[in-house]
Amino acid sequence: MSKASELTNQIIDYLYRNNCYAWKSTSTGLYDDKLQRFRMASKKGVSDILAVLPPSGRLIAIEVKIGRDRMRPEQIGFFRNIEHIGGLTFVAKDFDSFKEWWNERVVSL
């Protein structure tokens, strides 16, 4: 399992244990057996992890970036849209920084 997958799973598990509904978002194309080709994802730039914070229903978008991986323009645009509607965003490079962000930014809400 890649480091990005491990971190994604750690974060989703943590969110579940903190009463959030969370899931791994897939924004890559999917293979269509009927068409015998890959179909484009419905929206480019969607974050790796999406979660709903109870009881407010506030959306959390988390992008996992390991090593030299950087945000693409579509991902930055997605973050801006989420922030515009009052959602929370975070770029997770490791689990400790995620927990620190969670405790400083989310727990206090």
Side-chain angles (χ1 to χ4, degrees), residues 12-55:
I12 290 173
D13 181 60
Y14 188 85
L15 291 167
Y16 274 127
R17 287 186 283 115
N18 284 275
N19 301 316
C20 287
Y21 179 59
W23 65 96
K24 181 178 179 351
S25 174
T26 304
S27 60
T28 58
L30 299 172
Y31 189 75
D32 187 325
D33 287 327
K34 198 174 199 178
L35 297 175
Q36 296 292 300
R37 64 181 175 89
F38 280 90
R39 289 186 290 129
M40 291 290 290
S42 59
K43 175 108 177 106
K44 279 187 160 188
V46 176
S47 294
D48 296 315
I49 301 169
L50 298 175
V52 178
L53 184 64

CSV table of all heavy atoms in Angstrom, one decimal, residues 12-55:
chain,number,residue,atom,x,y,z
A,12,ILE,N,-9.3,8.8,7.4
A,12,ILE,CA,-10.7,8.4,7.4
A,12,ILE,C,-11.1,7.7,8.7
A,12,ILE,O,-12.2,7.9,9.3
A,12,ILE,CB,-11.0,7.5,6.1
A,12,ILE,CG1,-11.0,8.4,4.9
A,12,ILE,CG2,-12.4,6.8,6.3
A,12,ILE,CD1,-11.1,7.7,3.6
A,13,ASP,N,-10.2,6.8,9.1
A,13,ASP,CA,-10.5,6.1,10.4
A,13,ASP,C,-10.6,7.1,11.6
A,13,ASP,O,-11.5,7.0,12.4
A,13,ASP,CB,-9.4,5.1,10.7
A,13,ASP,CG,-9.6,4.3,12.0
A,13,ASP,OD1,-10.6,3.6,12.1
A,13,ASP,OD2,-8.7,4.4,12.9
A,14,TYR,N,-9.7,8.1,11.6
A,14,TYR,CA,-9.8,9.1,12.7
A,14,TYR,C,-11.1,9.9,12.6
A,14,TYR,O,-11.7,10.2,13.6
A,14,TYR,CB,-8.6,10.0,12.5
A,14,TYR,CG,-8.4,11.0,13.7
A,14,TYR,CD1,-7.7,10.6,14.8
A,14,TYR,CD2,-8.9,12.3,13.6
A,14,TYR,CE1,-7.6,11.5,15.9
A,14,TYR,CE2,-8.8,13.2,14.6
A,14,TYR,CZ,-8.1,12.8,15.8
A,14,TYR,OH,-7.9,13.6,16.8
A,15,LEU,N,-11.5,10.3,11.4
A,15,LEU,CA,-12.8,11.0,11.2
A,15,LEU,C,-13.9,10.2,11.7
A,15,LEU,O,-14.8,10.7,12.4
A,15,LEU,CB,-12.9,11.4,9.8
A,15,LEU,CG,-12.0,12.5,9.2
A,15,LEU,CD1,-12.0,12.5,7.7
A,15,LEU,CD2,-12.3,13.8,9.9
A,16,TYR,N,-14.0,8.9,11.4
A,16,TYR,CA,-15.1,8.0,11.8
A,16,TYR,C,-15.1,7.9,13.4
A,16,TYR,O,-16.1,8.0,14.0
A,16,TYR,CB,-14.9,6.6,11.3
A,16,TYR,CG,-15.5,6.4,9.9
A,16,TYR,CD1,-14.8,5.8,8.9
A,16,TYR,CD2,-16.9,6.7,9.7
A,16,TYR,CE1,-15.3,5.6,7.6
A,16,TYR,CE2,-17.4,6.5,8.4
A,16,TYR,CZ,-16.7,6.0,7.4
A,16,TYR,OH,-17.2,5.8,6.2
A,17,ARG,N,-13.9,7.8,14.0
A,17,ARG,CA,-13.8,7.7,15.4
A,17,ARG,C,-14.2,9.0,16.1
A,17,ARG,O,-14.5,9.0,17.3
A,17,ARG,CB,-12.4,7.3,15.9
A,17,ARG,CG,-12.2,5.8,15.6
A,17,ARG,CD,-10.9,5.2,16.1
A,17,ARG,NE,-9.8,5.6,15.3
A,17,ARG,CZ,-8.8,6.4,15.7
A,17,ARG,NH1,-8.8,6.9,16.9
A,17,ARG,NH2,-7.8,6.8,14.9
A,18,ASN,N,-14.2,10.1,15.3
A,18,ASN,CA,-14.7,11.4,15.8
A,18,ASN,C,-16.0,11.8,15.3
A,18,ASN,O,-16.3,13.0,15.1
A,18,ASN,CB,-13.6,12.5,15.5
A,18,ASN,CG,-12.4,12.3,16.4
A,18,ASN,OD1,-12.4,12.9,17.6
A,18,ASN,ND2,-11.4,11.6,16.0
A,19,ASN,N,-16.9,10.8,15.0
A,19,ASN,CA,-18.3,10.9,14.7
A,19,ASN,C,-18.6,11.6,13.4
A,19,ASN,O,-19.6,12.1,13.2
A,19,ASN,CB,-19.0,11.6,15.8
A,19,ASN,CG,-18.9,10.8,17.1
A,19,ASN,OD1,-19.1,9.6,17.1
A,19,ASN,ND2,-18.7,11.5,18.2
A,20,CYS,N,-17.6,11.7,12.5
A,20,CYS,CA,-17.8,12.2,11.1
A,20,CYS,C,-18.2,11.1,10.2
A,20,CYS,O,-17.8,10.0,10.3
A,20,CYS,CB,-16.6,12.9,10.6
A,20,CYS,SG,-16.2,14.4,11.4
A,21,TYR,N,-19.0,11.5,9.2
A,21,TYR,CA,-19.2,10.6,8.1
A,21,TYR,C,-18.2,11.0,7.0
A,21,TYR,O,-18.2,12.1,6.5
A,21,TYR,CB,-20.7,10.8,7.5
A,21,TYR,CG,-21.0,9.9,6.3
A,21,TYR,CD1,-20.9,8.5,6.5
A,21,TYR,CD2,-21.3,10.4,5.1
A,21,TYR,CE1,-21.1,7.7,5.4
A,21,TYR,CE2,-21.6,9.6,4.0
A,21,TYR,CZ,-21.5,8.3,4.2
A,21,TYR,OH,-21.8,7.5,3.1
A,22,ALA,N,-17.3,10.1,6.6
A,22,ALA,CA,-16.2,10.4,5.7
A,22,ALA,C,-16.0,9.3,4.7
A,22,ALA,O,-16.4,8.1,4.9
A,22,ALA,CB,-14.9,10.5,6.6
A,23,TRP,N,-15.5,9.7,3.6
A,23,TRP,CA,-15.3,8.7,2.5
A,23,TRP,C,-14.1,9.2,1.6
A,23,TRP,O,-13.8,10.4,1.5
A,23,TRP,CB,-16.5,8.4,1.7
A,23,TRP,CG,-17.0,9.6,0.9
A,23,TRP,CD1,-16.8,10.0,-0.4
A,23,TRP,CD2,-17.9,10.7,1.4
A,23,TRP,NE1,-17.4,11.1,-0.7
A,23,TRP,CE2,-18.1,11.6,0.4
A,23,TRP,CE3,-18.4,10.9,2.7
A,23,TRP,CZ2,-18.9,12.7,0.5
A,23,TRP,CZ3,-19.2,12.1,2.8
A,23,TRP,CH2,-19.4,12.9,1.8
A,24,LYS,N,-13.5,8.2,0.9
A,24,LYS,CA,-12.5,8.5,-0.1
A,24,LYS,C,-13.2,8.8,-1.4
A,24,LYS,O,-14.0,8.1,-1.9
A,24,LYS,CB,-11.6,7.3,-0.3
A,24,LYS,CG,-10.4,7.5,-1.2
A,24,LYS,CD,-9.5,6.3,-1.4
A,24,LYS,CE,-8.4,6.5,-2.3
A,24,LYS,NZ,-8.3,7.6,-3.2
A,25,SER,N,-12.8,10.0,-1.9
A,25,SER,CA,-13.4,10.4,-3.1
A,25,SER,C,-12.5,10.0,-4.3
A,25,SER,O,-11.3,10.1,-4.2
A,25,SER,CB,-13.5,12.0,-3.1
A,25,SER,OG,-14.0,12.4,-4.3
A,26,THR,N,-13.1,9.5,-5.3
A,26,THR,CA,-12.4,9.1,-6.5
A,26,THR,C,-12.7,10.1,-7.6
A,26,THR,O,-13.8,10.2,-8.1
A,26,THR,CB,-12.8,7.7,-6.9
A,26,THR,OG1,-12.5,6.8,-5.8
A,26,THR,CG2,-11.9,7.2,-8.1
A,27,SER,N,-11.7,10.8,-8.1
A,27,SER,CA,-11.9,11.7,-9.2
A,27,SER,C,-11.1,11.3,-10.4
A,27,SER,O,-11.0,12.1,-11.4
A,27,SER,CB,-11.5,13.1,-8.8
A,27,SER,OG,-10.1,13.2,-8.4
A,28,THR,N,-10.6,10.1,-10.4
A,28,THR,CA,-10.0,9.5,-11.6
A,28,THR,C,-11.1,8.9,-12.5
A,28,THR,O,-12.2,8.6,-12.1
A,28,THR,CB,-9.0,8.4,-11.2
A,28,THR,OG1,-9.6,7.4,-10.5
A,28,THR,CG2,-7.8,9.0,-10.4
A,29,GLY,N,-10.7,8.7,-13.7
A,29,GLY,CA,-11.7,8.1,-14.7
A,29,GLY,C,-11.9,6.7,-14.3
A,29,GLY,O,-11.1,6.0,-13.6
A,30,LEU,N,-13.1,6.2,-14.7
A,30,LEU,CA,-13.5,4.8,-14.5
A,30,LEU,C,-13.6,4.1,-15.8
A,30,LEU,O,-14.1,4.6,-16.8
A,30,LEU,CB,-14.8,4.8,-13.7
A,30,LEU,CG,-14.8,5.4,-12.4
A,30,LEU,CD1,-16.3,5.5,-11.8
A,30,LEU,CD2,-13.9,4.7,-11.4
A,31,TYR,N,-13.3,2.8,-15.8
A,31,TYR,CA,-13.4,2.0,-17.0
A,31,TYR,C,-14.8,1.6,-17.2
A,31,TYR,O,-15.5,1.1,-16.3
A,31,TYR,CB,-12.5,0.8,-16.9
A,31,TYR,CG,-12.4,0.0,-18.3
A,31,TYR,CD1,-11.7,0.6,-19.3
A,31,TYR,CD2,-13.1,-1.1,-18.5
A,31,TYR,CE1,-11.6,-0.1,-20.5
A,31,TYR,CE2,-13.1,-1.8,-19.7
A,31,TYR,CZ,-12.3,-1.2,-20.7
A,31,TYR,OH,-12.3,-1.9,-21.9
A,32,ASP,N,-15.3,1.8,-18.4
A,32,ASP,CA,-16.7,1.5,-18.8
A,32,ASP,C,-16.7,0.3,-19.7
A,32,ASP,O,-16.2,0.4,-20.8
A,32,ASP,CB,-17.4,2.7,-19.5
A,32,ASP,CG,-18.8,2.5,-19.7
A,32,ASP,OD1,-19.3,1.4,-20.0
A,32,ASP,OD2,-19.6,3.5,-19.7
A,33,ASP,N,-17.1,-0.9,-19.1
A,33,ASP,CA,-17.1,-2.1,-19.9
A,33,ASP,C,-18.0,-2.0,-21.2
A,33,ASP,O,-17.6,-2.5,-22.2
A,33,ASP,CB,-17.6,-3.3,-19.0
A,33,ASP,CG,-16.6,-3.7,-18.0
A,33,ASP,OD1,-15.4,-3.6,-18.3
A,33,ASP,OD2,-17.0,-4.1,-16.9
A,34,LYS,N,-19.1,-1.3,-21.0
A,34,LYS,CA,-20.0,-1.2,-22.2
A,34,LYS,C,-19.3,-0.4,-23.3
A,34,LYS,O,-19.5,-0.8,-24.5
A,34,LYS,CB,-21.3,-0.5,-21.7
A,34,LYS,CG,-22.4,-0.6,-22.6
A,34,LYS,CD,-23.7,0.0,-22.0
A,34,LYS,CE,-24.9,-0.5,-22.6
A,34,LYS,NZ,-26.1,0.0,-22.0
A,35,LEU,N,-18.6,0.7,-23.0
A,35,LEU,CA,-18.0,1.5,-24.0
A,35,LEU,C,-16.6,1.0,-24.4
A,35,LEU,O,-16.0,1.5,-25.3
A,35,LEU,CB,-17.9,3.0,-23.5
A,35,LEU,CG,-19.2,3.7,-23.3
A,35,LEU,CD1,-19.0,5.1,-22.7
A,35,LEU,CD2,-20.0,3.8,-24.6
A,36,GLN,N,-16.0,0.1,-23.5
A,36,GLN,CA,-14.7,-0.4,-23.7
A,36,GLN,C,-13.6,0.7,-23.7
A,36,GLN,O,-12.7,0.7,-24.5
A,36,GLN,CB,-14.6,-1.2,-25.0
A,36,GLN,CG,-15.5,-2.5,-25.0
A,36,GLN,CD,-15.0,-3.5,-24.0
A,36,GLN,OE1,-13.8,-4.0,-24.1
A,36,GLN,NE2,-15.8,-3.9,-23.1
A,37,ARG,N,-13.8,1.7,-22.8
A,37,ARG,CA,-12.9,2.7,-22.6
A,37,ARG,C,-13.1,3.4,-21.2
A,37,ARG,O,-14.0,3.1,-20.6
A,37,ARG,CB,-13.0,3.8,-23.7
A,37,ARG,CG,-14.3,4.5,-23.7
A,37,ARG,CD,-14.3,5.5,-24.9
A,37,ARG,NE,-15.6,6.1,-25.0
A,37,ARG,CZ,-15.9,7.3,-24.4
A,37,ARG,NH1,-15.1,7.9,-23.6
A,37,ARG,NH2,-17.1,7.8,-24.5
A,38,PHE,N,-12.1,4.3,-20.9
A,38,PHE,CA,-12.2,5.0,-19.6
A,38,PHE,C,-13.1,6.2,-19.9
A,38,PHE,O,-13.1,6.9,-20.9
A,38,PHE,CB,-10.8,5.5,-19.1
A,38,PHE,CG,-10.1,4.4,-18.4
A,38,PHE,CD1,-9.2,3.6,-19.1
A,38,PHE,CD2,-10.2,4.2,-17.1
A,38,PHE,CE1,-8.5,2.6,-18.5
A,38,PHE,CE2,-9.5,3.2,-16.4
A,38,PHE,CZ,-8.7,2.4,-17.1
A,39,ARG,N,-13.9,6.5,-18.9
A,39,ARG,CA,-14.8,7.7,-18.9
A,39,ARG,C,-14.1,8.7,-17.9
A,39,ARG,O,-13.6,8.3,-16.9
A,39,ARG,CB,-16.2,7.4,-18.3
A,39,ARG,CG,-17.0,6.6,-19.3
A,39,ARG,CD,-18.5,6.4,-18.8
A,39,ARG,NE,-18.5,5.5,-17.7
A,39,ARG,CZ,-19.1,5.8,-16.5
A,39,ARG,NH1,-19.7,7.0,-16.4
A,39,ARG,NH2,-19.1,5.0,-15.5
A,40,MET,N,-14.3,10.0,-18.3
A,40,MET,CA,-13.7,11.0,-17.4
A,40,MET,C,-14.5,11.1,-16.1
A,40,MET,O,-15.7,10.8,-16.1
A,40,MET,CB,-13.9,12.4,-18.1
A,40,MET,CG,-13.0,12.5,-19.3
A,40,MET,SD,-11.2,12.7,-18.8
A,40,MET,CE,-11.3,14.3,-18.1
A,41,ALA,N,-13.9,11.5,-15.1
A,41,ALA,CA,-14.5,11.7,-13.8
A,41,ALA,C,-15.5,12.9,-13.9
A,41,ALA,O,-15.4,13.8,-14.8
A,41,ALA,CB,-13.5,12.1,-12.7
A,42,SER,N,-16.5,12.9,-13.1
A,42,SER,CA,-17.6,14.0,-13.2
A,42,SER,C,-17.1,15.3,-12.9
A,42,SER,O,-17.6,16.3,-13.4
A,42,SER,CB,-18.8,13.6,-12.4
A,42,SER,OG,-18.4,13.5,-11.0
A,43,LYS,N,-16.1,15.5,-12.0
A,43,LYS,CA,-15.5,16.8,-11.6
A,43,LYS,C,-14.1,16.6,-11.3
A,43,LYS,O,-13.6,15.8,-10.5
A,43,LYS,CB,-16.3,17.2,-10.3
A,43,LYS,CG,-15.7,18.5,-9.7
A,43,LYS,CD,-16.7,19.6,-10.0
A,43,LYS,CE,-16.2,20.9,-9.3
A,43,LYS,NZ,-15.7,21.9,-10.2
A,44,LYS,N,-13.3,17.4,-12.0
A,44,LYS,CA,-11.8,17.4,-11.7
A,44,LYS,C,-11.5,18.2,-10.4
A,44,LYS,O,-12.2,19.2,-10.1
A,44,LYS,CB,-11.1,18.1,-12.9
A,44,LYS,CG,-10.9,17.2,-14.1
A,44,LYS,CD,-10.0,18.0,-15.1
A,44,LYS,CE,-9.4,17.0,-16.0
A,44,LYS,NZ,-8.4,17.6,-16.9
A,45,GLY,N,-10.5,17.7,-9.7
A,45,GLY,CA,-10.0,18.5,-8.6
A,45,GLY,C,-10.6,18.1,-7.3
A,45,GLY,O,-10.3,18.7,-6.2
A,46,VAL,N,-11.6,17.2,-7.3
A,46,VAL,CA,-12.3,16.9,-6.0
A,46,VAL,C,-11.2,16.3,-5.0
A,46,VAL,O,-10.4,15.5,-5.4
A,46,VAL,CB,-13.4,15.9,-6.2
A,46,VAL,CG1,-14.0,15.4,-4.9
A,46,VAL,CG2,-14.5,16.5,-7.2
A,47,SER,N,-11.3,16.7,-3.8
A,47,SER,CA,-10.3,16.3,-2.8
A,47,SER,C,-10.4,14.8,-2.5
A,47,SER,O,-11.4,14.1,-2.8
A,47,SER,CB,-10.6,17.0,-1.5
A,47,SER,OG,-10.3,18.4,-1.6
A,48,ASP,N,-9.3,14.2,-2.0
A,48,ASP,CA,-9.1,12.8,-1.8
A,48,ASP,C,-10.1,12.3,-0.7
A,48,ASP,O,-10.6,11.2,-0.8
A,48,ASP,CB,-7.7,12.5,-1.3
A,48,ASP,CG,-6.7,12.7,-2.4
A,48,ASP,OD1,-6.9,12.4,-3.5
A,48,ASP,OD2,-5.6,13.3,-2.0
A,49,ILE,N,-10.4,13.1,0.3
A,49,ILE,CA,-11.3,12.7,1.4
A,49,ILE,C,-12.3,13.8,1.6
A,49,ILE,O,-12.0,15.0,1.6
A,49,ILE,CB,-10.5,12.6,2.7
A,49,ILE,CG1,-9.4,11.5,2.6
A,49,ILE,CG2,-11.5,12.3,3.9
A,49,ILE,CD1,-8.4,11.5,3.8
A,50,LEU,N,-13.6,13.4,1.6
A,50,LEU,CA,-14.7,14.3,1.9
A,50,LEU,C,-15.3,13.8,3.2
A,50,LEU,O,-15.4,12.6,3.4
A,50,LEU,CB,-15.7,14.3,0.8
A,50,LEU,CG,-15.2,14.8,-0.5
A,50,LEU,CD1,-16.2,14.7,-1.6
A,50,LEU,CD2,-14.7,16.3,-0.4
A,51,ALA,N,-15.8,14.7,4.1
A,51,ALA,CA,-16.4,14.3,5.3
A,51,ALA,C,-17.5,15.4,5.7
A,51,ALA,O,-17.4,16.5,5.2
A,51,ALA,CB,-15.3,14.2,6.4
A,52,VAL,N,-18.4,14.9,6.5
A,52,VAL,CA,-19.5,15.8,7.0
A,52,VAL,C,-19.3,15.9,8.5
A,52,VAL,O,-19.3,14.8,9.2
A,52,VAL,CB,-20.9,15.2,6.6
A,52,VAL,CG1,-21.9,16.1,7.2
A,52,VAL,CG2,-21.0,15.1,5.1
A,53,LEU,N,-19.2,17.1,9.0
A,53,LEU,CA,-19.0,17.3,10.4
A,53,LEU,C,-20.4,17.5,11.2
A,53,LEU,O,-21.1,18.4,10.8
A,53,LEU,CB,-18.2,18.6,10.6
A,53,LEU,CG,-17.8,19.0,12.0
A,53,LEU,CD1,-16.8,17.9,12.6
A,53,LEU,CD2,-17.1,20.3,12.0
A,54,PRO,N,-20.7,16.6,12.1
A,54,PRO,CA,-21.9,16.7,12.8
A,54,PRO,C,-21.8,17.7,13.9
A,54,PRO,O,-20.7,18.0,14.4
A,54,PRO,CB,-22.1,15.3,13.4
A,54,PRO,CG,-20.8,14.8,13.6
A,54,PRO,CD,-19.9,15.4,12.5
A,55,PRO,N,-22.8,18.3,14.4
A,55,PRO,CA,-24.2,18.2,13.9
A,55,PRO,C,-24.5,19.2,12.8
A,55,PRO,O,-25.6,19.3,12.3
A,55,PRO,CB,-25.1,18.5,15.2
A,55,PRO,CG,-24.3,19.5,15.9
A,55,PRO,CD,-22.8,19.1,15.7
